[in-house]
Every structure is written in structure tokens, then in C-alpha cells.
Amino acid sequence: MSNLIVLGAQWGDEGKGKIVDLLSEKFDAVARYQGGHNAGHTGFIGSQKFVLKLIPSGILRPNVMAVIGNGVVIDPAALLEEISGLEKAGINVKGQLRISNRAHVIFPFHRTIEKISEGRTDRTAIGTTSRGIGPCYEDKIARRGIRLADLIDPEFESLYRSLAADKQLIATAFQISERVDFDEILDRYKQFAEQIRPMAYDTSHLLNVMIREGKSILFEGAQGTMLDIDFGTYPFVTSSSAAAGGASTGTGVPPTKMDGVIGVSKAYITRVGAGPFPSEDLTELGERIRRAGNEFGSVTGRPRRCGWFDVPLLRYTGEVNGFDSLVITKLDVLDEIESIRVCVAYEVDGKTMTQMPASTRRMESIKPIFEHLPGWKCSTRGVTQLKDLPTRARDYLRFLEEKTGIEVGSVSNGPERNETMIVPGSKLERLLA
């Protein structure tokens, strides 16, 4: 059995949670390697719906270990609330969950700083969730952050007061009037520490030992590649490494132990928040896709911007990540569309190009070049084998495969676990064997 990375091939919200949940039964552990509680991975077990923000989707499988890696930033209040909700649903979270003692901790003042930063009149708003994730990563990179190992350490108070003093200086400098009770936060976080302590581990060592013992790991990314801090539509990105390379830095498992990379992509494309979106559809068709796909954030409830499959974008993320196979989700959302557009190239400054521009200005100036494919105008729900899909639906998937140069190894045509098919003979099927 292989060690696989599963991550978003677009701007996130591609359905990674469902795919990880589906595949996780074949693995011994699922490890989340970046992001914070701004990610929302939705999973269904029968009629029960679960929205996971910090805890890996594998937690929904009773015999699978769920690991929060060192690359994740953790809001203890959000984590404990999530644990409580899952336990009420009968899931043995404390028995399955392991949290890296090297993961950084989010404090309430991180949220305050982010709100102020996003609200400044001289700054371009990125459209963050204002949950303190970016400022926590800033403290991490500036080498002044507090990790879980510090939170559960007897010397936590002295480390905390040093960081609090730093934040008070910033508040004074920026004339922030919002009152922060640093002592109250300290007391609350000491209580959090006692609740989290039993789940804190050296998860890098834990995962590497499991691999040496012949066990298999599924590495789960949050967000999508186009929100990666280096390779996304900067500055309209998240603050961590969402691409496949983040799986090693975010868990401590070397890249030589990874056997494959699986990209998850919708049959169309969506984006939340500000930033370039070349194939966005602002017409009634875009609204139809939003309604049919229920395209609203699982964590924030924000309506997602909707558009058409973007081939240059997918080729770019395929190259950055080295996708071995693609999972195409939400094919059923296109069931009633008469003519389906696919962006096959860009026009930038009067020139046709198939590469992804680096600068935001050039991305915002893109005019998408579309090809039109006939829709299949019938339901794909309930279809369990690729050969039984409508001919035009199969043609559409083949077109995407040919244009991107990446095999379509799996197709999802509904939210349930059993509404996903693996393509016979695909590399994905072999990796899962």
C-alpha cells in the first residue's frame, strides 16, 4: 500500500474532505499538513453531515489514526469545540487523534490583528476569514510564536507574557482601542493545555515509525494549490504551503517516503474571497452552478464565486505538484447545462498564452479563451461505473484529460461515500491496490 498526498488542484473547496474520507479506509493514518480552522472539509455518513475544520477527515473511520501535523496552526478553543461535537456523534476522537507538539498556537489577539490589517483603508483586502491564522504564521516565521509544546510546558506563562508584551506594543503603535485581557487569556489557555496535553505527540516520529513498520499514510492538504503562499495568486493566498511540498515540511515525513500525489478538482471551478479568477462566470449560468452545487462556504457560509474549468490553471498546478491522477468531483452539478465552457488558453496583452502568469496584474488582465462542449442534459446521480455515464459526460472527462495531460482516475457524482467511482486500469487504482 502506498503513502499518498491528496490536495486541491484549484482554489480549494474541491471536495477533498469527501475524497479523503472515502480513501481513508485503505490507510492506517490520515495526516493534515497545513492551514488552520479556516478549512472546511465536509463528510457524509448516511444522513449525518460532518464539517471538519482542523481534524483530518480520516477521523470518521474508527480504525484510522488522525494526525494534525506541525504545519497546522491551532486555535485550542476551535479544536476542543470540534472534538466535543464529534464525540457527541459517537466518534472516539481522543482515542484516534494525535496532535503535533510542534504545531503553532493561535491566540485571540491574532484575530484582532488580522481584523485590523484587513480593515485598513490603505491595504487591499485579501478576503481572509479573520480567524488569526495569518498573524499566527507571521509569528512562526518571525520566530516569536508559541507551539503546542510550549503551551503544555510549565514555563508557558513566561513565554506567553513575552508574546503578549509584543502584541501590546503593536496595539499601542496602531492605536488599537479594542481591549485585550491578557491575564484572562492566560488562564483560559492553561485550561486548554490540560485538555489537549494527552493528545500532544511528536507526530513526525510517530508517522515515520509507522512507515518503517509498513503502514500507509494519507497526507491531507487544506485549501488548494492556487492559495499556496508561493505558487498561488499572491497576495490573495493563504499563509502556508498548500502544495504537495508542504506535506513533508508540515509533517516531518521525507519526500522519499511519498509514493503518489492525487489532485482533486471540481468539474468546474470556484473561488472564495478576493483575487484573480480568469474563468469566472458572472452571468446567470454562474448563478445556476452556484445553486446546483450549493456553493457556499462550509465554514463561513460565504457564497463562492463560480466559473468554468480552467485548463492552463490545472496544467500549472499539475506541474507544481506532480499529480499522478485527478479526482473530478461534482460532475452532477453540470447535468442540466446545455453548453459547457472550458477555458483552454489565456489572452494577455493581446497575446495568446497557456502558462500561468506570476503577477496579479497580468492575471487580472486575462481574457479567457473558451471551447464549448455539448452538455449531456440528464442525471448522472446513481451511476457507479464510468462506462455507464452518458456518452457526452465521458467525452467531457476525456477532453479534460487530454487537455491537462493528467489522467482522470476517479469521478464523483454526488456527496455520499458511494457516489465516487475509480476508473478501472488507472494509476490511481494501482496506487490504492
Side-chain angles (χ1 to χ4, degrees), residues 228-356:
D228 182 272
I229 187 67
D230 289 295
F231 300 106
T233 48
Y234 190 90
F236 301 96
V237 293
T238 193
S239 299
S240 57
S241 297
S248 286
T249 57
T251 62
V253 175
T256 52
K257 302 300 181 183
M258 312 292 185
D259 299 304
V261 184
I262 310 304
V264 183
S265 166
K266 283 174 179 165
Y268 47 100
I269 193 168
T270 63
R271 173 166 201 169
V272 173
F277 186 170
S279 65
E280 184 173 14
D281 192 319
L282 298 173
T283 71
E284 173 57 24
L285 266 177
E287 182 58 35
R288 280 179 63 188
I289 291 172
R290 181 182 293 115
R291 290 196 303 267
N294 191 29
E295 294 297 352
F296 299 89
S298 54
V299 172
T300 64
R302 291 187 294 179
R304 296 174 185 143
R305 300 158 63 190
C306 297
W308 304 100
F309 192 95
D310 187 327
V311 169
L313 182 149
L314 211 294
R315 277 201 298 257
Y316 169 71
T317 61
E319 185 174 65
V320 166
N321 293 299
F323 290 142
D324 294 290
S325 190
L326 274 181
V327 178
I328 299 294
T329 64
K330 289 198 165 185
L331 183 69
D332 55 299
V333 172
L334 301 181
D335 283 352
E336 296 304 319
I337 305 293
E338 292 182 3
S339 178
I340 300 171
R341 298 179 185 180
V342 178
C343 175
V344 295
Y346 300 148
E347 182 185 317
V348 182
D349 297 333
K351 297 179 181 179
T352 300
M353 60 188 297
T354 56
Q355 296 296 110
M356 178 66 63

Side-chain angles (χ1 to χ4, degrees), residues 407-429:
E407 73 157 34
V408 173
S410 178
V411 180
S412 173
N413 54 338
E416 299 291 342
R417 278 176 172 172
N418 61 1
E419 293 181 298
T420 303
M421 58 196 89
I422 305 294
V423 177
S426 64
K427 187 170 184 179
L428 177 58
E429 184 183 57

Side-chain angles (χ1 to χ4, degrees), residues 57-274:
S57 305
I59 198 72
L60 302 180
R61 299 285 185 178
N63 299 315
V64 175
M65 183 184 294
V67 176
I68 297 177
N70 56 277
V72 178
V73 291
I74 296 171
D75 182 323
L79 174 65
L80 292 169
E81 181 182 359
E82 192 170 335
I83 289 172
S84 175
L86 289 169
E87 287 181 334
K88 287 176 183 176
I91 295 171
N92 180 24
V93 181
K94 291 187 176 72
Q96 293 175 242
L97 182 63
R98 304 290 183 267
I99 308 169
S100 173
N101 53 18
R102 290 178 168 85
H104 279 250
V105 178
I106 297 173
F107 290 88
F109 41 72
H110 286 131
R111 294 194 294 273
T112 301
I113 288 170
E114 186 165 25
K115 288 175 184 175
I116 302 260
S117 178
E118 276 285 279
R120 273 180 18 219
T121 55
D122 60 342
R123 175 187 166 119
T124 301
I126 294 170
T128 74
T129 56
S130 295
R131 292 168 186 249
I133 291 161
C136 184
Y137 276 115
E138 288 177 28
D139 281 345
K140 174 180 177 176
I141 298 304
R143 296 165 295 182
R144 59 174 174 252
I146 290 178
R147 303 189 295 179
L148 188 57
D150 304 316
L151 178 66
I152 62 177
D153 189 273
E155 298 299 318
F156 165 62
E157 182 168 345
S158 62
L159 293 168
Y160 169 80
R161 292 201 180 279
S162 176
L163 182 62
D166 181 77
K167 299 308 176 191
Q168 188 59 63
L169 283 172
I170 293 172
T172 302
F174 282 91
Q175 298 180 324
I176 296 172
S177 58
E178 184 174 330
R179 183 177 176 274
V180 177
D181 189 334
F182 290 104
D183 289 331
E184 187 273 333
I185 293 170
L186 174 62
D187 291 340
R188 188 154 32 105
Y189 272 64
K190 284 180 178 179
Q191 296 173 30
F192 291 155
E194 294 310 308
Q195 296 176 72
I196 295 173
R197 188 188 306 276
M199 295 175 281
Y201 284 77
D202 181 344
T203 55
S204 172
H205 177 67
L206 178 67
L207 291 169
N208 279 295
V209 167
M210 291 181 71
I211 291 171
R212 287 197 291 272
E213 291 175 346
K215 294 179 179 177
S216 56
I217 315 296
L218 187 62
F219 297 89
E220 175 187 37
Q223 288 89 36
T225 304
M226 293 306 294
L227 293 176
D228 182 272
I229 187 67
D230 289 295
F231 300 106
T233 48
Y234 190 90
F236 301 96
V237 293
T238 193
S239 299
S240 57
S241 297
S248 286
T249 57
T251 62
V253 175
T256 52
K257 302 300 181 183
M258 312 292 185
D259 299 304
V261 184
I262 310 304
V264 183
S265 166
K266 283 174 179 165
Y268 47 100
I269 193 168
T270 63
R271 173 166 201 169
V272 173

